[in-house]
Amino acid sequence: MSHLSSPPKKHKGEHKGHSLPHGSERGSSSRDKDRSATVSSSVPMPAGGKGSHPSSTPQRVPNRLIHEKSPYLLQHAYNPVDWYPWGQEAFDKARKENKPIFLSVGYSTCHWCHMMEEESFQNEEIGRLLSEDFVSVKVDREERPDVDKVYMTFVQATSSGGGWPMNVWLTPNLQPFVGGTYFPPEDGLTRVGFRTVLLRIREQWKQNKNTLLENSQRVTTALLARSEISMGDRQLPPSAATMNNRCFQQLDEGYDEEYGGFAEAPKFPTPVILSFLFSYWLSHRLTQDGSRAQQMALHTLKMMANGGIRDHVGQGFHRYSTDCQWHVPHFEKMLYDQAQLAVAYSQAFQISGDEFYSDVAKGILQYVARSLSHRSGGFYSAEDADSPPERGMRPKEGAYYVWTVKEVQQLLPEPVLGATEPLTSGQLLMKHYGLTEAGNISPSQDPKGELQGQNVLTVRYSLELTAARFGLDVEAVRTLLNTGLEKLFQARKHRPKPHLDSKMLAAWNGLMVSGYAVTGAVLGQDRLISYATNGAKFLKRHMFDVASGRLMRTCYTGSGGTVEHSSPPCWGFLEDYAFVVRGLLDLYEASQESAWLEWALRLQDTQDRLFWDSQGGGYFCSEAELGAGLPLRLKDDQDGAEPSANSVSAHNLLRLHGFTGHKDWMDKCVCLLTAFSERMRRVPVALPEMVRALSAQQQTLKQIVICGDRQAKDTKALVQCVHSVYIPNKVLILADGDPSSFLSRQLPFLSTLRRLEDQATAYVCENQACSMPITDPCELRKLLHP
């Protein structure tokens, strides 16, 4: 696989037919941008130099990272490098000793971070250089997304791309002057070695420090100007219809007709794009473009689910595909992908009625419950791509997930009765999932030959075709394949498992609460909604400070499954508030428990206080105090692997206005969308989730009110009817008749709505006018989905 020996091609989230400006790719692939040895600098760098070989017996003496909680920092705790965590101690040392800061940013399940740690940071000579001539700082990008975003902005602006590991050299005042991504330890034909880079920068700092400082200041000033997002003189956001059409046209131009998706290899899931296409279909469903948008999204979801990017044995989705067919993945599994894809597949089921999509959604959540869940209700961050093929061996990417023909034949030797030719269960499974004796991974994707003879399961034929090929009944084939996959799953349990990043992030836990709540509501499965409820309880118990009303960014799994925090705690960033508020609103609509709605309102108030830009509009990514000393305070401006927190906040503000009638939140939403006007006009495809919010703001939000008792059957039938229909621009409100209830106090008009003949009754309200009362779920469905 190409990403094992040399980094994959840069993925900026571009689409054929248009290009994104520098800096627009921030977050588009989130973890997997170009990791080649790109070097960006504000001064020229001469060539030359050779690296040294790593020491074969690295000293097992811990550095100060041994006291950290982050799994990523702990992976570097035995490097022969005098590492510091991000903080004042490191900055003071740099200023006192007048040394440049070497900042290295990554995350614990990053393949190329592992490579650089093994090749360079375990190297004794490189360790001495880093310790003697620099103040070396390690950052987990998932703990400190603000630090990551600021310096990634620099790297992307001054080089051909960005990615992780990200390595940046800073002045003692934290201004960047050289940056890059992965460096090999030694010079190659086309790449500069890490040792060479260190020696050059050491020399430049001694000889040309003033020039470095001046250029660093100049670059920082330019980045400040370029990254500013503000309302300026604008009073209103752009036309939603225009932005919608432009965004759709840009996606249409880049669409892969055969395999789905919107880019050449590597190919990423991008749920925000699928969500936009579904919304676009709903508002244009009588047009050719509307039908096209629906087909693009459904086909992409089907091809992904059939491809090797989906783990057919254990469920869940891998990070991305290294090819355009969704066949050979980068095997890392991220919580935020599972969360968003569960929602996307649930929406596909709402729209199409095809249980193929609901089965995929249930499989994702089954995987998360089994492999990424803490016993107290929280959700872990990720599983690594790498693991040892056998115990004691060196880890290889994908080793846990790939299969040889021999293994499958040994596990599934049973003959299949009734087939038109001699056939075993193993042969049936291998035919359906495309396994071959030579392996189904092309040599171009495996230049080191590590995966020779290995296979990634990918659906090659429909059940009907496989059944016809062997003269079997379709249901019999389905049963045989499921039984075979279960046997592979049980056998796989005996392999060494990939590393689990057991860090828990508020933002990703918020996304996962949404994943369980939305899927549970759509499918009418209370068991899934209970997982969402337990996740929300975990957030409130372990990641919320009652005294200050603030969220914490992280907590960690301690010994015996306990929950631990860093000291001092790492406070939440904008995305933590935005994603948790979204999760709580989704959970209220799924469960009708108003306590979650009340907490969402309180968190939104805190978010407004800590992050709102009262002058320019929109939200900053970080608190002013938390980011003190950083050269930039940014507003995230791209919907990528995760949606921009500003895009999610725009939706949250609209929904909160629908739940409460508070005009302030609608005003904030308009200001936010106005602040991002220029960005949306220039590249709407970079902000599909915000374009969706713009459409919702310029349309009329439906308030669907169900008057009834929460536990009554007739109430539940009306609620389930609402959840069965795809209506993104709505709020669902339960009015239980109690005038002192939270929602009755927020929306006085609820007291005027009555149950008809003592039955649960629905009202659909728009523009402060409500429909006639409806008691029949079928009639309600007709009204909601004409």
Side-chain angles (χ1 to χ4, degrees), residues 330-597:
H330 172 48
F331 290 91
E332 175 185 23
K333 284 182 173 179
M334 306 305 307
L335 181 68
Y336 60 77
D337 281 326
Q338 317 309 322
Q340 295 177 90
L341 287 170
V343 172
Y345 279 98
S346 299
Q347 291 173 339
F349 170 67
Q350 278 180 312
I351 289 164
S352 69
D354 187 342
E355 290 186 1
F356 172 87
Y357 298 106
S358 59
D359 287 345
V360 176
K362 286 186 282 189
I364 292 169
L365 298 183
Q366 181 186 25
Y367 159 70
V368 172
R370 183 183 66 243
S371 299
L372 294 179
S373 292
H374 188 274
R375 66 185 186 191
S376 299
F379 303 104
Y380 304 134
S381 293
E383 283 191 305
D384 208 332
D386 301 9
S387 60
E390 294 177 29
R391 296 188 197 287
M393 293 178 70
R394 187 176 180 275
K396 294 181 181 179
E397 180 162 6
Y400 188 69
Y401 299 101
V402 293
W403 300 89
T404 63
V405 163
K406 184 179 178 183
E407 286 174 312
V408 175
Q409 286 174 331
Q410 287 176 343
L411 288 166
L412 304 173
E414 311 86 3
V416 176
L417 301 177
T420 53
E421 61 186 76
L423 182 71
T424 66
S425 295
Q427 288 169 329
L428 177 73
L429 186 139
M430 289 188 292
K431 181 72 174 176
H432 188 73
Y433 287 103
L435 279 68
T436 67
E437 191 76 48
N440 65 10
I441 299 167
S442 116
S444 65
Q445 291 174 295
D446 180 30
K448 287 188 177 178
E450 292 181 326
L451 297 173
Q452 216 166 9
Q454 299 284 353
N455 292 272
V456 175
L457 270 64
T458 179
V459 176
R460 289 297 167 92
Y461 307 100
S462 67
L463 284 171
E464 290 77 10
L465 276 174
T466 300
R469 166 73 176 76
F470 297 107
L472 297 168
D473 178 70
V474 170
E475 286 309 309
V477 169
R478 189 194 308 274
T479 301
L480 284 165
L481 290 174
N482 287 339
T483 302
L485 291 173
E486 177 61 25
K487 287 184 178 178
L488 297 190
F489 177 70
Q490 295 302 329
R492 199 171 78 175
K493 284 182 177 178
H494 299 289
R495 296 177 175 179
K497 285 188 170 59
H499 158 72
L500 172 70
D501 186 332
S502 60
K503 173 176 74 269
M504 289 169 274
L505 301 172
W508 297 359
N509 272 251
L511 289 175
M512 203 64 242
V513 168
S514 284
Y516 274 107
V518 172
T519 306
V522 168
L523 303 184
Q525 295 197 3
D526 290 341
R527 184 180 58 84
L528 298 180
I529 296 170
S530 70
Y531 276 102
T533 301
N534 290 337
K537 286 178 179 176
F538 180 90
L539 282 161
K540 196 160 192 182
R541 187 182 308 122
H542 295 292
M543 306 191 79
F544 178 62
D545 180 58
V546 178
S548 66
R550 292 160 81 194
L551 285 170
M552 296 173 204
R553 169 70 175 173
T554 56
C555 64
Y556 307 87
T557 307
S559 56
T562 56
V563 178
E564 297 180 349
H565 296 86
S566 55
S567 182
C570 183
W571 295 109
F573 296 91
L574 174 64
E575 63 186 49
D576 296 299
Y577 288 84
F579 296 176
V580 170
V581 168
R582 171 189 270 188
L584 295 174
L585 297 180
D586 289 337
L587 179 55
Y588 166 72
E589 292 197 354
S591 69
Q592 288 81 53
E593 291 183 27
S594 63
W596 300 122
L597 183 57

Side-chain angles (χ1 to χ4, degrees), residues 582-650:
R582 171 189 270 188
L584 295 174
L585 297 180
D586 289 337
L587 179 55
Y588 166 72
E589 292 197 354
S591 69
Q592 288 81 53
E593 291 183 27
S594 63
W596 300 122
L597 183 57
E598 292 184 58
W599 191 31
L601 264 69
R602 289 203 300 275
L603 286 178
Q604 187 65 51
D605 282 333
T606 305
Q607 175 183 320
D608 293 348
R609 174 170 54 85
L610 296 176
F611 304 101
W612 180 253
D613 179 1
S614 56
Q615 292 182 315
Y619 294 97
F620 290 110
C621 293
S622 58
E623 292 182 44
E625 288 180 21
L626 193 63
L630 285 172
L632 304 172
R633 193 179 181 208
L634 299 172
K635 296 174 187 173
D636 200 4
D637 63 352
Q638 179 148 9
D639 296 319
E642 302 163 62
S644 153
N646 270 288
S647 299
V648 173
S649 294

